[in-house]
Amino acid sequence: MQTIGPYRVIRTIGVGGMGEVFLCALERAGGFEKRVAVKRARGEGAPLELFEREARLAALLDHRHIVQIFDFGRDDEGAWLAMEYVQGVDLKAVLDLGEPVPPGLALEVGVACARGLAFAHRATDTTGRPLGIVHRDVSPHNVLLSFQGDVKLGDFGVALATARAGDAVAVHGKLAYMSPEQARGEGADPRSDLYALGVVLYELLAGRRCFFDGGDPAALARRVRAGAPLQPLAQAAPALPAALVAVIDQALATDPAARFADGEALAEALLAAAAQAGIVVGAPALGPWLAARFDRAGRGMGHSAGPRAAEATATAAAPIEATATAAVPAGGSGTPPPPLEATPAQAAEGPRPPRRRGVGLALLLATAGLGAWWVWPAGTRPVAPGRGRTLA
């Protein structure tokens, strides 16, 4: 029987060059069993130190809309992290269905994410010292939806914690969901996360992409840096109430100072706009809505595409979209990195609706760890770089 720390391994969820993810069980006397997802990091030195640091950070994020971290340890094979096991799908799977998302459901997701971000942004360590967390990768891949109706943010492993002035950190993010300042290499703050959530809400409510059109990658980069969507939301979704459009437009303001001050302000504005428009937030109920469209293995019912990974906490069966990385000093000091450019690979995938993608490469959605890992389901063959579905 294979074990990791006190956890019995049930099966492998995903493997990659930097580690593995397992579905595990914590078993105790009297038939007690708790299922968790366990991520094992391999290697030593700086990567392992980063893994441990991010584990300590994520353990402080105890909120209903953030994937929870339960345990951490080291053994002869490396470090491991036990986290919440969420059975469901990511928001990308929902958008890939190519059908309209009811406004009440879209707003439920938006309010939950805004409140999760608000908590993370104001999080402190055990002494009360602000952690300065910025998620930096708020995107449909990292919004996890359970069949029980829960909404959770994942992948805080790439979040920036400026707890130590002068630390060099990696800026991560999917280009099509970056704020203009982040795409220009000027750093990011909590308002950058709210901008990214605004992009997610635009796509949920409009049923189409905000910036990505499958065309010239360089043009995508220019649009993102300028904060210029393909269409204003009012044109992309003319049936949306004006009050709701105004809230999303404010979240998408190019000037960070014109955006909402924090996640709670955005959540309250969404709720107020919904009330004004007569939209019932949370209707239809998320759990039954998902169950009518996905089976428990995460396969979209009534669609020809293959399955999506159901272990939403650990994997999301979609490639990383236009992920960019640049080193910048913590706190935004020093010389910023060069402006981000899209690569030709980013044009390989067309607009989302109505096309539905099956299982491809998977991105580890861990709330702590080494950031974004390329992971593919055990027993499948990875796609060579530059081939197949790539970045968008």
Side-chain angles (χ1 to χ4, degrees):
M1 181 178 66
Q2 183 184 1
T3 61
I4 302 176
Y7 304 97
R8 175 178 63 86
V9 175
I10 298 173
R11 61 181 171 85
T12 301
I13 293 175
V15 296
M18 301 177 69
E20 302 166 278
V21 184
F22 303 92
L23 174 62
C24 297
L26 176 65
E27 298 173 328
R28 292 291 184 260
F32 174 89
E33 179 178 310
K34 173 70 174 179
R35 292 200 170 189
V36 298
V38 175
K39 179 176 68 173
R40 177 183 287 285
R42 301 194 184 279
E44 53 187 35
L48 188 57
E49 291 175 4
L50 178 60
F51 182 87
E52 293 179 343
R53 181 180 177 188
E54 296 294 350
R56 293 192 298 270
L57 167 68
L60 298 171
L61 300 180
D62 186 8
H63 189 273
R64 61 175 296 196
H65 296 307
I66 296 175
V67 177
Q68 299 297 290
I69 298 300
F70 297 138
D71 201 359
F72 175 81
R74 297 185 65 171
D75 55 27
D76 293 340
E77 297 185 53
W80 53 265
L81 183 70
M83 71 190 84
E84 183 178 5
Y85 174 74
V86 179
Q87 187 179 29
V89 297
D90 61 28
L91 188 58
K92 185 72 162 65
V94 170
L95 290 169
D96 281 350
L97 290 173
E99 67 174 85
V101 176
L105 192 153
L107 291 179
E108 178 184 12
V109 172
V111 169
C113 290
R115 286 177 168 165
L117 287 171
F119 178 86
H121 292 157
R122 64 173 182 261
T124 63
D125 63 18
T126 54
T127 68
R129 180 184 180 185
L131 291 171
I133 292 174
V134 180
H135 189 289
R136 294 177 175 264
D137 196 16
V138 177
S139 66
H141 308 76
N142 294 337
V143 178
L144 313 180
L145 311 175
S146 82
F147 292 124
Q148 288 70 45
D150 298 319
V151 179
K152 293 179 181 287
L153 273 172
D155 204 13
F156 275 87
V158 299
L160 169 63
T162 57
R164 295 188 304 185
D167 277 359
V169 296
V171 177
H172 297 261
K174 299 175 185 67
L175 182 55
Y177 297 93
M178 281 188 183
S179 65
E181 64 273 12
Q182 189 177 357
R184 292 193 297 261
E186 298 170 0
D189 65 20
R191 296 168 298 181
S192 304
D193 284 346
L194 302 184
Y195 183 96
L197 181 54
V199 177
V200 172
L201 283 166
Y202 176 112
E203 296 184 353
L204 272 175
L205 293 166
R208 62 183 65 190
R209 300 299 294 269
C210 185
F211 291 102
F212 180 78
D213 65 355
D216 179 17
L220 167 64
R222 288 193 295 271
R223 283 195 297 273
V224 172
R225 288 198 298 265
L230 293 165
Q231 282 186 294
L233 181 57
Q235 294 180 17
L240 281 180
L244 185 54
V245 171
V247 173
I248 308 304
D249 284 348
Q250 183 175 347
L252 291 175
T254 304
D255 181 3
R259 298 174 201 156
F260 292 95
D262 53 45
E264 284 295 343
L266 174 55
E268 291 303 318
L270 290 171
L271 291 171
Q276 182 177 338
I279 298 172
V280 179
V281 176
L286 176 59
W289 191 89
L290 290 174
R293 289 156 179 81
F294 298 91
D295 65 18
R296 291 288 163 162
R299 291 184 291 265
M301 297 185 290
H303 298 268
S304 60
R308 296 274 306 194
E311 288 82 19
T313 301
T315 58
I320 298 176
E321 293 199 359
T323 300
T325 304
V328 297
S333 60
T335 304
L340 299 170
E341 295 292 343
T343 66
Q346 294 164 4
E349 181 185 34
R352 179 183 294 125
R355 183 165 173 251
R356 168 112 164 87
R357 294 188 287 188
V359 172
L361 292 176
L363 169 64
L364 179 66
L365 290 181
T367 53
L370 298 174
W373 292 0
W374 284 107
V375 179
W376 48 88
T380 64
R381 183 178 179 181
V383 178
R387 299 181 182 179
R389 292 185 297 274
T390 51
L391 309 177

